[in-house]
Amino acid sequence: MCDSEERYRRARGGRRRSAIRARRAIVLLTVIALAAVRPTAGAGGEPGTVLVTQPQASSETLDVLLLRTWESGNLTIVDGLANVPLSMLAGGTTNTYRFELTIFDHEGNDLYRDSWERTLSERAAAYVGSGSSTLLESFRFGLQPGEYEIEARAYPTDAPDLGTRIRLPLVAFSETPEASDLILANRIEPIAEEGGGGGWSITRGGIGIAAAARTAVLPEEPTLYYYLELYGSRGTDTVTVAAAIHRAGREVFRIADSPTEVRPESSAITGHLELAGLPPGEYEFHLLIGDGEVAVERSADFSMLSPSAGVAVAAGADSEEGRYIASLSDAELEATLGGVAVLISDTERRLFEALPPDGRRAYLTEFFRKHDPEPASSGNTFLEEYLERIGTIHARYDENVGTEERRPWATARGSLYLRLGEPQNRVVNYSPHDLGTPTSVLGSGGFAGEPPYEIWQYQDTGFVYLFVQQDRFGAWRMVYSSDPYVQSLADWYRRVGPSALNDLMTNFGITARSGLDQQ
């Protein structure tokens, strides 16, 4: 596999630099309980921040999305998001438009009306003739239980006949719901209590949400965020949070359940998902919450956009990483870069493994560019480090299981080496013979029933990892580690011989009893 490093050096046309850094997998899917939702005062029109969206996310019509949350007093809070097409202003003489909001009851009676005027900035005005861009308007109002219709209208201030409108039905919650509507966004962050600034279209209890009437994910920024509020008297409870991505009614992949603690004063759940490499198209995001017998499911649509005309994706394809990855055949891509699967979260791994080869190339190009510690310099030390390690594990840690060969990064030792690199302290005892000094002799595999073993330690953390070849057929297993993020086997001390236990105690100060205390 040393050829992979040489090919990368040729692709980048420069001299290889070495910068070995021990790295842990970056968990990119987070599910956390957040602060309680703070009551928001003020029903009626509330202009949001004007945002110019990406051209691919827009349309020629007025798109409106209504998102419902709930507050005590049986009040439904509605956050409205509207994409106003700039093409509408082409027939006017000024760069101003008026936005009108009207609420009707189920009998058609006009209950509430509000409007406001917006003047385009110079930047936004430059898009008027493009025929494809939009501005985002946001507004909020509260409703008592019942059925309503919401009408939104936008038109040039001096040419009302050129406007566009949409009318949508809306049902306010009749009682305390299990959960709010699901909100998807391009960014969600904690904000100051006053919640001002930041370009947030929705704010809830110290959380800023950058959402739009149409949720669109750019390949250059492939992170999709979500927000959901849970209601009801549930006390301190732990729920399971799972998610799934659907396309054309078929589940593309599912994210495993993750336990999350929800406290009485903390009803909001948020998280994010990396979608790098997901093919362009229309998708549904499903969020599933379970707490015993009660299950809540909410879904929302989003689009994965094609690479835009911006330079980011083009530069990525023509980058050193992109040229190298493009030079690999499909088989070489799997053999060389398939090990990235152990460096990413379970969520991303499901997506990565479901991608076709071209999708994987796009994903991998962005992955290595994003993790380059020195993007302004020549070469990519993160990719160089990866290729060096993948060559090492191919040489050392290939294993045959039955009649099949396991990829080296799928083995216990290979996976750890790819993530953390060469251990600073290493005991290799393939031919245990007594309780004396460990040996490095490649032998038949043990004495008096003792299995071969290896002990690794990394000085930056001090964590120790014990591997044992239990079945004598070449398959190794990690049975114990002092790393709190690694689950040791409950009976690990019974799976090794006295030589391994003695080495743990002599070299690392670990006894069977102290090892048990750390589990």
Side-chain angles (χ1 to χ4, degrees):
M1 292 304 298
C2 61
D3 177 63
S4 60
E5 292 185 76
E6 178 61 30
R7 183 177 297 193
Y8 171 65
R9 287 198 294 272
R10 292 198 301 267
R12 81 178 184 87
R15 182 179 178 182
R16 179 182 173 279
R17 293 174 299 146
S18 176
I20 303 301
R21 296 176 175 86
R23 299 175 184 269
R24 290 189 176 274
I26 300 174
V27 178
L28 294 174
L29 173 70
T30 57
V31 183
I32 54 176
L34 298 174
V37 174
R38 179 184 54 183
T40 303
E46 185 180 1
T49 302
V50 179
L51 301 174
V52 176
T53 66
Q54 293 291 332
Q56 298 97 323
S58 63
S59 71
E60 297 300 319
T61 61
L62 180 63
D63 291 318
V64 174
L65 179 64
L66 303 174
L67 298 164
R68 300 169 302 167
T69 52
W70 179 87
E71 291 185 0
S72 59
N74 212 14
L75 183 66
T76 298
I77 303 299
V78 180
D79 281 286
L81 303 170
N83 283 347
V84 179
L86 287 180
S87 58
M88 170 196 67
L89 294 176
T93 59
T94 64
N95 286 327
T96 61
Y97 68 88
R98 179 162 290 275
F99 190 90
E100 291 184 353
L101 176 69
T102 308
I103 302 175
F104 302 91
D105 65 14
H106 70 285
E107 295 179 348
N109 298 311
D110 185 339
L111 299 179
Y112 180 84
R113 185 184 297 270
D114 194 10
S115 66
W116 54 89
E117 189 171 291
R118 186 77 69 197
T119 300
L120 272 61
S121 65
E122 292 184 7
R123 179 188 175 192
Y127 286 84
V128 169
S130 68
S132 61
S133 296
T134 66
L135 295 176
L136 178 65
E137 287 286 352
S138 63
F139 48 89
R140 174 178 291 181
F141 53 88
L143 295 173
Q144 295 296 330
E147 298 181 5
Y148 303 86
E149 285 192 334
I150 311 300
E151 182 178 274
R153 180 180 177 227
Y155 56 88
T157 304
D158 61 344
D161 294 340
L162 299 180
T164 178
R165 72 177 69 203
I166 188 172
R167 192 159 175 162
L168 300 171
L170 178 67
V171 178
F173 297 120
S174 59
E175 57 185 14
T176 305
E178 293 177 325
S180 68
D181 290 335
L182 177 63
I183 302 176
L184 300 183
N186 296 108
R187 185 165 56 106
I188 294 178
E189 293 178 6
I191 58 175
E193 284 300 313
E194 59 271 15
W200 308 113
S201 49
I202 300 174
T203 58
R204 297 288 294 172
I207 301 297
I209 305 172
R214 288 187 179 186
T215 303
V217 180
L218 290 167
E220 300 94 316
E221 300 175 0
T223 305
L224 179 66
Y225 291 80
Y226 61 83
Y227 177 94
L228 185 77
E229 293 179 9
L230 300 179
Y231 307 116
S233 178
R234 42 176 79 240
T236 300
D237 198 4
T238 298
V239 300
T240 58
V241 180
I245 301 294
H246 290 222
R247 185 174 188 179
R250 183 177 64 86
E251 186 175 290
V252 177
F253 68 94
R254 178 178 288 265
I255 304 163
D257 291 353
S258 174
T260 301
E261 188 176 88
V262 179
R263 299 180 182 275
E265 72 278 7
S266 180
S267 64
I269 292 177
T270 187
H272 68 277
L273 178 64
E274 292 294 328
L275 299 177
L278 188 68
E282 302 298 317
Y283 295 87
E284 285 184 356
F285 182 91
H286 290 252
L287 193 66
L288 304 96
I289 312 294
D291 58 351
E293 297 180 357
V294 178
V296 176
E297 180 174 356
R298 296 290 185 268
S299 64
D301 298 332
F302 73 95
S303 301
M304 189 72 191
L305 302 183
S306 301
S308 69
V311 299
V313 171
D318 192 42
S319 65
E320 297 166 357
E321 302 90 340
R323 288 193 299 272
Y324 166 67
I325 293 171
S327 74
L328 301 174
S329 67
D330 292 351
E332 290 171 330
L333 187 74
E334 168 61 21
T336 303
L337 300 180
V340 165
V342 306
L343 304 180
I344 56 182
S345 67
D346 291 342
T347 302
E348 279 200 294
R349 186 179 305 116
R350 291 183 180 90
L351 172 61
F352 176 72
E353 293 175 347
L355 292 174
D358 286 346
R360 287 196 182 191
R361 287 183 172 85
Y363 180 101
L364 291 166
T365 298
E366 180 62 22
F367 174 83
F368 284 108
R369 290 182 66 233
K370 182 169 63 176
H371 289 88
D372 183 2
E374 303 174 58
S377 62
S378 175
N380 184 323
T381 55
F382 182 74
L383 177 55
E384 293 170 9
E385 173 189 34
Y386 172 89
L387 293 175
E388 182 175 289
R389 291 183 183 180
I390 204 73
T392 299
I393 67 172
H394 268 284
R396 293 183 188 173
Y397 304 125
D398 277 319
E399 291 182 4
N400 291 311
V401 180
T403 59
E404 297 184 359
E405 181 182 2
R406 298 174 64 188
R407 291 297 192 188
W409 56 80
T411 68
R413 295 177 300 170
S415 174
L416 188 67
Y417 189 96
L418 189 58
R419 289 189 291 117
L420 302 183
E422 189 74 40
Q424 287 73 45
N425 297 314
R426 186 165 174 257
V427 174
V428 178
N429 201 341
Y430 293 161
S431 183
H433 56 290
D434 55 29
L435 298 182
T437 304
T439 70
S440 298
V441 179
L442 295 175
S444 60
F447 175 77
E450 292 186 35
Y453 60 92
E454 292 190 17
I455 306 174
W456 297 5
Q457 184 188 48
Y458 291 88
Q459 291 180 349
D460 57 340
T461 63
F463 295 148
V464 172
Y465 305 84
L466 170 62
F467 304 90
V468 176
Q469 191 185 85
Q470 289 183 287
D471 55 17
R472 309 294 181 86
F473 291 102
W476 289 76
R477 185 173 188 179
M478 184 191 299
V479 297
Y480 167 75
S481 176
S482 59
D483 186 340
Y485 295 100
V486 175
Q487 182 65 48
S488 301
L489 300 182
D491 61 344
W492 67 269
Y493 52 92
R494 294 192 180 99
R495 296 172 180 262
V496 300
S499 298
L501 294 175
N502 182 71
D503 282 336
L504 280 173
M505 179 179 63
T506 302
N507 296 286
F508 308 105
I510 295 173
T511 64
R513 173 48 52 190
S514 67
L516 290 174
D517 292 341
Q518 295 180 48
Q519 297 181 52

